[in-house]
Amino acid sequence: MSTPLTAREHPLVPVKHDEAAVVIGDLYRKACVSLVDSANNYIAAGRALIKKKAGLEHGAWLPWLAANADALGFTGRHNG
């Protein structure tokens, strides 16, 4: 018996992301591409993350990050 796919795993189910996550993800991706603008984009993304975190209730930060990881551009990243 196979496990049904979640909305995130199913290719035909659109995933609605938090608007802030999409904006932050765009800044992150731009920072990865342009060396000239990367520092400014990383700073802007960091400030936007701080603002978003401040607006969330206690305990909601990590679930928000997990739910929006792909919009933020944090998936598939390798450290080390």
Side-chain angles (χ1 to χ4, degrees), residues 22-46:
V22 174
V23 171
I24 295 165
D26 286 343
L27 289 168
Y28 176 79
R29 281 182 286 284
K30 286 177 185 176
C32 292
V33 174
S34 170
L35 292 176
V36 173
D37 296 327
S38 66
N40 288 332
N41 287 321
Y42 283 126
I43 290 168

Side-chain angles (χ1 to χ4, degrees), residues 31-67:
C32 292
V33 174
S34 170
L35 292 176
V36 173
D37 296 327
S38 66
N40 288 332
N41 287 321
Y42 283 126
I43 290 168
R47 287 179 176 159
L49 284 168
I50 290 167
K51 182 177 179 180
K52 182 63 183 180
K53 184 178 180 183
L56 295 174
E57 293 183 18
H58 179 76
W61 177 241
L62 292 180
W64 183 87
L65 283 176

